[in-house]
Amino acid sequence: MDAAMGMAKIANGDLPDGLIDRLKAIVGAKGWVTDADALQPHVTEPRGLYVGRTPLLLKPSTTDEVSRILALCNSSRVGVVPQGGNTGLVGGGVPHADGGEIILSLARLDRIREVDPLNYTLTVEAGCILADVQAAADAAERLFPLSLGAEGSCRIGGNLSTNAGGTGVLRYGNVRELTLGLEVVLADGTVWDGLNRLRKDNTGYDLKHLFIGAEGTLGVITAAVLKLFPKPRDVATGLVAIRDLPAVIELLSRLRAASGDAVTGFEYIARIGIDFATAHVAGIVDPLAKRYAHYALVELSTPAPDGDLQNVLERLMAAAIEDGLVIDGVIAQNSAQAQALWRLREAVAESQKFEGGSIKHDVSVPVSRVADFIAAATAACTDAMAGIRPVPFGHVGDGNIHFNLSQPKDMDSDAFLAEWPRINRIVHDIVVGMGGSISAEHGIGQLKREELRRYAVPAKLDLMTRIKHALDANNIMNPGKVL
Ligand SMILES: Cc1cc2nc3c(=O)[nH]c(=O)nc-3n(C[C@H](O)[C@H](O)[C@H](O)COP(=O)(O)OP(=O)(O)OC[C@H]3O[C@@H](n4cnc5c(N)ncnc54)[C@H](O)[C@@H]3O)c2cc1C
């Protein structure tokens, strides 16, 4: 987006005279931050890939304040970067380095507006922390199934704006599929009350889907109606060592059919991930005595209290061992053991930083191509750089692999990270060649903007640009992200 496309150019550097004071007046004394130290975590992307600058962070506490802020920024042509928990991994929630944008934090818009257990819905404000949303559902004897590693600090508005996935997608879908309605403030300050609690509503375009996954480029989500589900009453969790990569996908397919589609989690972990997790994260142990190349964390669950899932899982695993798909495994005997297995899975992600630089790919392919993808990408990357260490893991039940690569042991970390674009190209070409996506979960932000431009079909980019222009003619909403 730029002036050549009919957009107003956002001023570099300073904000217009007097604007900061007018914005501060909208939110009152508790609603703004200008201190450089206090701003630092808000301008820094979690992995430090992007460090931006801003003179002002605003923390409105009502939708009306958000509306007045956007109206003023729109008329002043000042860019606004919405921010939730700032756990996003593509540089979408931090400002650019020129200091010409403000951050709009949703942190104080954090009320649970309504719990409706009979309608199986929850209406929440965008600043609610995901773990608090889960807890509110739990208190009403319901389940809100979105779950991911950052759930203690990410906020539901950020989850919606990135169409977050996580570990429950296989059964429940992405957050897009968990949303019935939204309240959104548009770039010019108009409030769209789309807090629909209906399961059926075919009255024209389903506008909420424009804002879900838009990464703050089309408006600010201020509240949402979320779908709830019956709480699982019976859960069985296991970690199994699997013969080879094709057997991982074969096992998933079998388990879905043979368990009555009770599979709610199916996470792939390569051996190197277990080595990293046990070496670097306190309290993490490998529950199996022997070492294997491929593992899956499997979870079955059902709301039926007498589902007898532990026996079902044991029986299915015994059959898979007999057929040679599974080589070894453990099944948790209680919830503490199940949690330890999930902690091991989460530790794979957090332990990689202790092995030096890592080049990451959050990609997806059709589930049936996952094994081919991991094999092809591993071969291509090891050919491209001697000693590079692929660490594939993730939600293979959704075809989503975090295909991360740790640096060769003796290589300089900066020199390795300088290879990021070359390695990206190799992996993304394979992904796209298999009909996959270069961003399965985390979005585009700044990190993948050029990759989107390269791989998206022109008609899609053109439609996205026209929608952006229609909703945000002055390009104030998170400028320079996604497009
Ligand atoms: C340890 C860890 C594990 C993760 N695991 C997963 C995972 O399993 N699955 C997954 O999908 N993601 C995962 N993520 C990344 C994921 O995108 C975020 O954790 C989360 O969804 C972002 O929420 P947030 O509140 O931190 O958003 P932020 O980082 O603050 O913002 C993300 C984007 O949304 C925009 N935005 C934020 N709030 C609003 C709003 N109210 N209105 C409009 N735009 C807004 C921002 O401008 C930005 O572009 C993980 C991240 C970490 C650090």
Side-chain angles (χ1 to χ4, degrees):
M1 291 285 157
D2 57 28
M5 296 167 76
M7 299 283 179
K9 186 94 179 73
I10 300 298
N12 278 351
D14 301 331
L15 300 189
D17 275 352
L19 181 68
I20 290 185
D21 287 340
R22 291 172 69 196
L23 289 167
K24 283 179 176 173
I26 292 173
V27 291
K30 286 188 187 159
W32 52 267
V33 178
T34 53
D35 175 72
D37 289 342
L39 286 172
Q40 203 52 34
H42 295 278
V43 298
T44 309
E45 187 262 355
R47 296 189 291 220
L49 290 179
Y50 299 95
V51 182
R53 208 160 61 81
T54 184
L56 179 67
L57 176 142
L58 293 173
K59 294 193 283 182
S61 65
T62 64
T63 301
D64 179 58
E65 287 177 7
V66 175
S67 162
R68 287 159 62 203
I69 291 166
L70 290 195
L72 185 50
C73 288
N74 192 45
S75 60
S76 311
R77 309 286 196 268
V78 164
V80 176
V81 182
Q83 192 173 85
N86 193 21
T87 67
L89 297 172
V90 290
V94 294
H96 296 290
D98 64 18
E101 298 157 340
I102 64 152
I103 298 177
L104 192 153
S105 163
L106 279 299
R108 286 172 76 219
L109 218 71
D110 63 350
R111 286 162 285 251
I112 305 280
R113 288 195 190 164
E114 188 191 34
V115 186
D116 186 346
L118 282 183
N119 197 40
Y120 278 78
T121 52
L122 188 60
T123 305
V124 298
E125 293 185 344
C128 287
I129 289 182
L130 174 56
D132 295 339
V133 176
Q134 296 164 344
D138 191 64
E141 288 298 311
R142 298 287 181 262
L143 171 76
F144 180 60
L146 180 66
S147 176
L148 46 97
E151 64 197 24
S153 50
C154 62
R155 296 177 189 270
I156 194 73
N159 301 141
L160 287 158
S161 299
T162 54
N163 186 27
T167 51
V169 175
L170 183 57
R171 166 75 74 81
Y172 300 100
N174 294 304
V175 77
R176 185 186 295 287
E177 288 149 272
L178 303 175
T179 308
L180 291 177
L182 288 185
E183 178 186 85
V184 178
V185 182
L186 304 179
D188 65 359
T190 303
V191 178
W192 171 52
D193 180 351
L195 288 175
N196 193 329
R197 299 188 300 141
L198 303 173
R199 313 245 159 198
K200 287 191 170 177
D201 172 28
N202 284 341
T203 53
Y205 304 148
D206 197 343
L207 296 177
K208 64 178 179 286
H209 290 303
L210 276 181
F211 301 97
I212 298 172
E215 301 182 49
T217 60
L218 299 180
V220 176
I221 296 172
T222 46
V225 181
L226 305 170
K227 281 188 202 169
L228 301 181
F229 294 81
K231 267 168 77 164
R233 304 280 169 196
D234 189 9
V235 181
T237 312
L239 181 81
V240 290
I242 305 185
R243 185 189 66 210
D244 54 20
L245 276 168
V248 174
I249 305 307
E250 171 71 22
L251 179 69
L252 166 65
S253 169
R254 268 198 195 195
L255 285 180
R256 288 191 64 183
S259 68
D261 218 2
V263 183
T264 37
F266 195 89
E267 301 282 312
Y268 172 72
I269 310 173
R271 176 69 226 178
I272 189 171
I274 303 224
D275 287 340
F276 284 6
T278 49
H280 300 299
V281 182
I284 301 295
V285 286
D286 177 355
L288 298 177
K290 289 193 187 160
R291 296 166 62 82
Y292 302 97
H294 307 284
Y295 300 79
L297 173 59
V298 180
E299 183 188 89
L300 308 185
S301 77
T302 168
D306 55 354
D308 196 23
L309 280 185
Q310 186 143 334
N311 285 331
V312 170
L313 187 56
E314 278 171 16
R315 220 173 42 243
L316 293 177
M317 287 311 163
I321 288 175
E322 209 159 284
D323 295 344
L325 287 180
V326 167
I327 317 167
D328 196 356
V330 285
I331 292 176
Q333 300 300 308
N334 52 47
S335 62
Q337 288 180 359
Q339 277 168 21
L341 295 180
W342 276 107
R343 268 207 313 279
L344 168 62
R345 157 64 183 86
E346 295 302 342
V348 172
E350 66 190 75
S351 60
Q352 227 193 320
K353 60 176 177 281
F354 300 104
E355 292 284 331
S358 55
I359 297 177
K360 306 197 186 238
H361 304 88
D362 157 46
V363 296
S364 66
V365 291
V367 176
S368 51
R369 304 298 309 272
V370 164
D372 294 342
F373 164 70
I374 295 178
T378 298
C381 292
T382 45
D383 275 357
M385 190 187 291
I388 198 168
R389 294 175 292 163
V391 190
F393 65 94
H395 321 301
V396 293
D398 320 320
N400 177 195
I401 305 299
H402 296 301
F403 190 77
N404 294 353
L405 295 143
S406 279
Q407 65 172 76
K409 279 187 175 151
D410 48 4
M411 190 171 180
D412 172 67
S413 152
D414 288 341
F416 177 69
L417 293 176
E419 299 277 0
W420 195 303
R422 182 171 75 96
I423 300 292
N424 268 188
R425 180 61 21 82
I426 292 169
V427 174
H428 288 165
D429 280 353
I430 295 170
V431 166
V432 172
M434 290 185 176
S437 167
I438 60 158
S439 183
E441 288 201 309
H442 300 159
I444 297 297
Q446 306 181 57
L447 185 68
K448 292 190 176 171
R449 202 180 53 180
E450 295 315 314
E451 293 295 275
L452 178 69
R453 193 184 283 277
R454 179 182 177 89
Y455 291 109
V457 294
K460 175 175 177 169
L461 280 178
D462 179 51
L463 271 175
M464 286 174 64
T465 306
R466 284 154 62 187
I467 290 169
K468 168 77 175 167
H469 196 128
L471 293 188
D472 180 21
N474 292 327
N475 190 23
I476 66 152
M477 289 309 315
N478 216 0
K481 312 292 169 52
V482 182
L483 286 167

